[in-house]
Amino acid sequence: ARTVCATLQALNAVDTMSNLAKKERLMHDATRFAQDWVAAWNSHDLERILSHYADDFSITTPMIKTLLGVESGTLTGKPANVNTGKLV
C-alpha cells in the first residue's frame, strides 16, 4: 500500500499536462487512503486502524501513559498495540 507521504511526493513530481491522467490517479489514491483512514478510526476497529501503518510504527502521546500506564508514553510496533487491546 502506498503511504500518504509517497503519494504526495509523487504528486509534486507530476507537473506536466502529459501526466494529467497520472496526477488524477494519484489524487484519487490519496483521497481514498484518507477516507479509509478516517473511516477506520471512526470504526474503533484496532485491526482496521493498524492496517494503515507499517509493522514497526511508533506512537507517542501522553494518553498512552495515562490510559495504559506506559511511563515513556510510547508504543512501538503493531504487536505492542494489538497486545494492549486498546488504541490511544
Side-chain angles (χ1 to χ4, degrees):
R2 176 173 281 215
T3 65
V4 172
C5 290
T7 300
L8 293 176
Q9 287 172 345
L11 278 172
N12 286 334
V14 177
D15 60 359
T16 64
M17 290 303 287
S18 63
N19 290 322
L20 184 58
K22 184 176 180 180
K23 187 171 186 175
E24 287 174 353
R25 178 67 183 158
L26 289 169
M27 284 295 294
H28 172 78
D29 290 349
T31 300
R32 183 169 180 176
F33 181 92
Q35 290 170 338
D36 289 346
W37 185 81
V38 169
W41 277 95
N42 288 336
S43 75
H44 304 279
D45 180 337
L46 184 58
E47 294 289 333
R48 189 172 169 197
I49 293 166
L50 292 177
S51 73
H52 293 87
Y53 295 88
D55 289 341
D56 63 348
F57 87 105
S58 181
I59 184 170
T60 302
T61 171
M63 293 305 293
I64 291 171
K65 183 176 179 180
T66 301
L67 295 175
L68 302 178
V70 176
E71 189 63 31
S72 67
T74 300
L75 293 177
T76 301
K78 288 183 182 179
N81 290 286
V82 172
N83 290 337
T84 66
K86 299 177 184 178
L87 190 66
V88 291

